[in-house]
Amino acid sequence: MTKTLNSRIPEGPVSEKWTNYKAHQRLVNPKNKLKLDVIVVGTGLAGASAAASLGEMGFNVLNFCIQDSPRRAHSIAAQGGINAAKNYQNDGDSVYRLFYDTVKGGDYRAREANVYRLAEVSNNIIDQCVAQGVPFAREYGGMLANRSFGGAQVSRTFYAKGQTGQQLLLGAYSSLMCQVNANKVKLYTRYEMEDVVIVDGRARGIIAKNLVTGKLERFSANAVVIATGGYGNAYFLSTNAMGCNCTAAVQCYRKGAYFANPSFVQIHPTCIPVHGDKQSKLTLMSESLRNDGRIWVPKKIEDAKALQAGTKKGSDIPEEDRDYYLERRYPAFGNLVPRDVASRAAKERCDKGFGVNNTGLAVFLDFSESIERLGIDVVLQRYGNLFDMYEEITDVNPGELANEINGVKYYNPMMIFPAIHYTMGGIWVDYELQTTIDGLFAIGECNFSDHGANRLGASALMQGLADGYFVLPYTIQNYLSNQDIWPRISTDLKEFEEAEMGVQKEIDRLMNIKGKRSVDSLHKELGHIMWEHVGMGRTAEGLKEGIELMKKLKKEFDTNLFVPGSKEGLNVELDKAIHLRDFILMGQLVAYDALHRNESCGGHFREEYQTEEGEAKRDDENFFYVGCWEYKGDDTTAPELVKEPLEYEAIKVQTRNYKN
């Protein structure tokens, strides 16, 4: 029997769906809100904005933070900006154009209704953040400034230097702490969700671990909201903070929440290249640098070999011997093509031997032309902290004059290479952001809903804040208005007891393996398998081999893991072991999804399915759907595929073109 998913998309034209939904949704009156508890797991942009909004509306919110402060959530690492269709530049932007660019950028694999709503509420986000005091960059006359990002021909990205995520998070944090102070939000710092508790088919609480004492604690509520980010750290080396993990999402998956499009993983084109085998993470250089930086490799293979050998520097190669390959291949968008396109183009040049560092896995990002045109002061005003970060890590100052050839000045270029960054896949949610488990909602990066197969730059912050401030506060009321779920329930129920015992049993199992391998050594091995077999270029043969290697790694994990210390008190290695257990399952899920999807689209590139020019070749006839995966009872059994067909009314599905 074919399983069907109810996406709860409202009737009517796409531009009216959200308005109609809000006009007819069920509400909770102010007095009844006081009786209702909501758990929000996560304090990044999505979690903090949701907890603050729900608290201000009158709900009692329990907000869980893995860090010692919400200000340390990984959202602070976002650099370049946040999209909105304000059209301040008067360059032709509109809600429809933002909607269209986002669907096209996602290679027509996103749900149309959700993306239109995202574009529609984007303008509200900017107003909200300005009111909070977020210090967006401004033009000389006082208007908010905008810059361009990949996949768009308009300037719609609002930014605060190269610290946009941090500044937006401080805005959400201030709103959150206001509600903490008003006793509407109870904040639990240094707690991690270990399981979701299902009572009578509904999510009614969580089991959380106090990371300082090591004790497991039970919490009940009328609804549970997961806002715990993505699963990029399954690859070990990524731009994510080392604490980022997918445990909460994977536990929801194990309890019956479908996981959608896991193979849609974003590989960001502008990261500082790997410099050795002792690294624990990679550093992102904001995509905003592509506004004024030009990406190139040498035209001559002998120049590339000299760069790799260290006998030449980038500034030694004159203009006429540089291949600005994105400008050559994609003249309409140039250096501002979407991330998946830019990443594959860099890989293609490096695979052909034109890489520019000692590993051959790097290309140049050069600011010489912009510095000469604008002056170094203007360039530093836009990107100064990013230049400082680059110099801190590489000991190269990208704003420093390095050479002059025939009267042309050449400055030190940055070296960049693609790296795992963001995950477009995630827990499946309907239009109301509810998962396949009643009462369990997922927002921000940990759901699948808005980016399709590839996220446009500056859209992650937009989605996180849209979900938290302007979508979930409406849609969760539709669920909570149901009177039969109002009564508070005791954490003494057998469902809570069984869930806690299950978590404790698993912790005891991990502690008692007493093998010889550290968590990090096993995680690095997983990362190597993922990058080589489930990375930028995928093949059916490579994916099958990757799945088998991950199964072997799971056996090694289960029999040879060593976790030092004890389960009592603070034990970071134990927490990492729990995360790795879930990364191994997640890695297999990514591979299963990539293997079944016999097409190339967005961040999912199957080498068997490409055009003669090396571009992604979609198969809309056979794969125009959301691929959802159902857990089949244990980690060793392959998951079952369930499809949600995509239906487009407002946009014509066509091959992406960034050339003209």
Side-chain angles (χ1 to χ4, degrees):
M1 188 177 106
T2 306
K3 293 181 179 173
T4 56
L5 287 164
N6 181 7
S7 52
R8 290 193 176 95
I9 297 171
E11 297 293 322
V14 71
S15 60
E16 296 174 17
K17 289 183 189 294
W18 182 231
T19 304
N20 289 342
Y21 176 90
K22 290 188 291 183
H24 298 99
Q25 70 166 100
R26 292 175 296 178
L27 298 173
V28 181
N29 82 53
K31 284 285 184 282
N32 287 334
K33 284 174 185 163
L34 302 177
K35 306 174 189 173
L36 294 169
D37 305 323
V38 180
I39 286 171
V40 178
V41 184
T43 54
L45 283 181
S49 59
S53 300
L54 294 171
E56 194 162 353
M57 290 165 71
F59 295 105
N60 306 304
V61 181
L62 292 74
N63 193 198
F64 292 84
C65 173
I66 194 173
Q67 308 281 11
D68 52 1
S69 165
R71 290 171 302 181
R72 294 173 65 93
H74 186 59
S75 299
I76 66 164
Q79 297 165 350
I82 177 169
N83 289 330
K86 288 284 196 183
N87 195 30
Y88 284 162
Q89 305 295 313
N90 198 27
D91 54 4
D93 203 8
S94 64
V95 167
Y96 180 85
R97 192 171 289 278
L98 174 54
F99 157 61
Y100 174 79
D101 286 346
T102 306
V103 171
K104 178 184 174 185
D107 220 350
Y108 303 93
R109 290 293 178 265
R111 190 191 285 151
E112 198 184 56
N114 286 62
V115 181
Y116 194 92
R117 175 175 66 188
L118 175 66
E120 199 177 344
V121 304
S122 67
N123 293 339
N124 298 345
I125 297 169
I126 304 304
D127 296 339
Q128 169 91 358
C129 295
V130 169
Q132 289 172 337
V134 173
F136 286 123
R138 293 181 181 266
E139 305 287 3
Y140 180 74
M143 290 290 285
L144 296 181
N146 287 127
R147 56 188 175 201
S148 301
F149 257 61
Q153 289 178 304
V154 297
S155 294
R156 64 161 68 101
T157 304
F158 295 78
Y159 62 97
K161 212 170 183 180
Q163 312 167 358
T164 314
Q166 183 174 19
Q167 298 304 326
L168 290 171
L169 186 64
L170 288 172
Y173 171 73
S174 64
S175 295
L176 173 63
M177 296 313 291
C178 178
Q179 296 308 309
V180 170
N181 191 55
N183 293 321
K184 289 310 296 175
V185 175
K186 183 150 189 187
L187 185 63
Y188 293 87
T189 57
R190 303 292 283 137
Y191 274 75
E192 180 161 27
M193 172 181 153
E194 302 292 350
D195 203 0
V196 61
V197 181
I198 313 292
V199 180
D200 296 331
R202 299 181 188 272
R204 291 305 305 265
I206 66 169
I207 305 299
K209 181 169 181 262
N210 182 322
L211 297 177
V212 177
T213 66
K215 287 199 168 65
L216 296 178
E217 298 180 28
R218 309 173 188 179
F219 299 91
S220 76
N222 298 88
V224 177
V225 180
I226 308 295
T228 51
Y231 47 91
N233 274 352
Y235 290 78
F236 188 71
L237 284 182
S238 81
T239 65
N240 289 199
M242 289 183 68
C244 293
N245 66 84
C246 62
T247 289
V250 166
Q251 284 297 85
C252 294
Y253 165 66
R254 286 194 181 101
K255 281 290 178 79
Y258 288 3
F259 210 99
N261 293 340
S263 65
F264 293 166
V265 174
Q266 181 160 80
I267 293 164
H268 198 294
T270 56
C271 296
I272 296 178
V274 176
H275 61 250
D277 60 1
K278 301 291 187 289
Q279 250 177 291
S280 55
K281 76 176 297 293
L282 296 171
T283 303
L284 173 72
M285 287 284 102
S286 169
E287 183 185 312
S288 63
L289 294 166
R290 294 199 274 153
N291 272 281
D292 291 308
R294 300 175 74 195
I295 296 172
W296 65 278
V297 293
K299 285 180 180 174
K300 301 174 184 169
I301 196 75
E302 56 266 30
D303 281 344
K305 287 195 166 123
L307 289 164
Q308 290 161 19
T311 56
K312 268 191 179 179
K313 293 182 178 176
S315 54
D316 296 332
I317 297 173
E319 186 70 15
E320 61 270 19
D321 292 335
R322 299 179 171 199
D323 176 17
Y324 296 99
Y325 57 88
L326 290 176
E327 297 171 35
R328 167 171 59 81
R329 286 179 62 175
Y330 308 101
F333 283 74
N335 293 296
L336 288 171
V337 291
R339 292 174 175 178
D340 61 319
V341 177
S343 292
R344 278 198 298 276
K347 181 179 187 293
E348 184 272 335
R349 287 290 78 197
C350 292
D351 288 349
K352 288 277 174 30
F354 289 92
V356 299
N357 69 351
N358 60 342
T359 65
L361 298 175
V363 299
F364 285 129
L365 178 61
D366 200 301
F367 294 86
S368 298
E369 185 271 334
S370 294
I371 291 171
E372 283 299 291
R373 175 168 50 87
L374 300 167
I376 186 65
D377 289 344
V378 172
V379 173
L380 290 178
Q381 193 177 6
R382 294 176 181 177
Y383 314 111
N385 66 306
L386 298 170
F387 278 34
D388 291 344
M389 195 192 310
Y390 186 85
E391 184 177 9
E392 192 78 26
I393 292 167
T394 66
D395 204 27
V396 173
N397 177 0
E400 183 177 60
L401 180 63
N403 204 354
E404 189 167 334
I405 307 172
N406 299 328
V408 179
K409 293 179 177 175
Y410 294 98
Y411 295 78
N412 286 325
M414 289 181 176
M415 282 189 195
I416 56 166
F417 194 68
I420 296 294
H421 179 54
Y422 184 93
T423 52
M424 286 76 65
I427 301 172
W428 183 89
V429 291
D430 59 23
Y431 188 75
E432 298 184 343
L433 305 182
Q434 188 168 210
T435 70
T436 43
I437 298 171
D438 285 347
L440 180 66
F441 295 78
I443 60 175
E445 188 183 356
C446 78
N447 76 26
F448 89 102
S449 67
D450 294 356
H451 305 298
N454 174 59
R455 177 176 67 81
L456 289 186
S459 287
L461 305 185
M462 177 172 64
Q463 188 215 340
L465 291 179
D467 285 356
Y469 282 137
F470 297 109
V471 180
L472 183 78
Y474 287 97
T475 61
I476 200 168
Q477 289 191 78
N478 220 30
Y479 173 75
L480 291 173
S481 62
N482 191 342
Q483 295 191 27
D484 61 7
I485 60 166
W486 281 0
R488 287 192 171 97
I489 59 172
S490 168
T491 55
D492 293 333
L493 288 177
K494 71 174 183 354
E495 289 87 350
F496 281 89
E497 187 180 347
E498 287 167 3
E500 185 185 328
M501 282 172 59
V503 174
Q504 191 63 65
K505 185 178 173 186
E506 180 64 6
I507 288 171
D508 292 339
R509 180 183 78 85
L510 296 175
M511 294 299 303
N512 290 327
I513 294 171
K514 299 191 186 305
K516 296 184 177 168
R517 298 276 307 266
S518 70
V519 178
D520 283 351
S521 76
L522 291 161
H523 197 170
K524 280 183 182 178
E525 190 175 328
L526 173 65
H528 183 74
I529 295 167
M530 292 294 290
W531 183 254
E532 292 299 320
H533 298 276
V534 201
M536 286 179 73
R538 301 162 174 176
T539 63
E541 189 182 336
L543 289 163
K544 286 174 188 169
E545 189 179 335
I547 290 168
E548 290 309 309
L549 287 170
M550 282 186 259
K551 285 180 179 175
K552 283 183 187 167
L553 184 68
K554 177 72 167 72
K555 283 183 184 165
E556 177 75 355
F557 175 88
D558 287 338
T559 58
N560 203 16
L561 172 74
F562 174 66
V563 180
S566 73
K567 65 184 180 184
E568 284 82 26
L570 179 70
N571 190 339
V572 176
E573 289 300 309
L574 171 59
D575 299 329
K576 280 159 58 177
I578 294 167
H579 299 162
L580 180 56
R581 173 201 68 188
D582 299 327
F583 281 136
I584 294 171
L585 178 61
M586 194 67 237
Q588 292 180 67
L589 203 48
V590 174
Y592 279 122
D593 191 45
L595 182 60
H596 108 275
R597 196 170 274 278
N598 293 326
E599 64 165 355
S600 292
C601 57
H604 166 63
F605 192 74
R606 282 281 296 274
E607 291 176 5
E608 306 97 322
Y609 306 100
Q610 56 182 304
T611 66
E612 289 178 8
E613 296 172 316
E615 305 292 346
K617 194 173 182 181
R618 284 199 333 260
D619 181 354
D620 294 331
E621 190 177 337
N622 295 306
F623 294 97
F624 192 51
Y625 58 75
V626 177
C628 309
W629 296 90
E630 182 182 10
Y631 188 68
K632 299 312 287 183
D634 65 74
D635 288 10
T636 55
T637 306
E640 182 184 340
L641 177 66
V642 182
K643 301 174 184 176
E644 181 206 338
L646 291 167
E647 295 176 13
Y648 279 19
E649 305 163 18
I651 287 180
K652 181 184 175 188
V653 180
Q654 53 197 344
T655 302
R656 281 196 302 173
N657 176 15
Y658 294 101
K659 296 183 179 182
N660 50 45

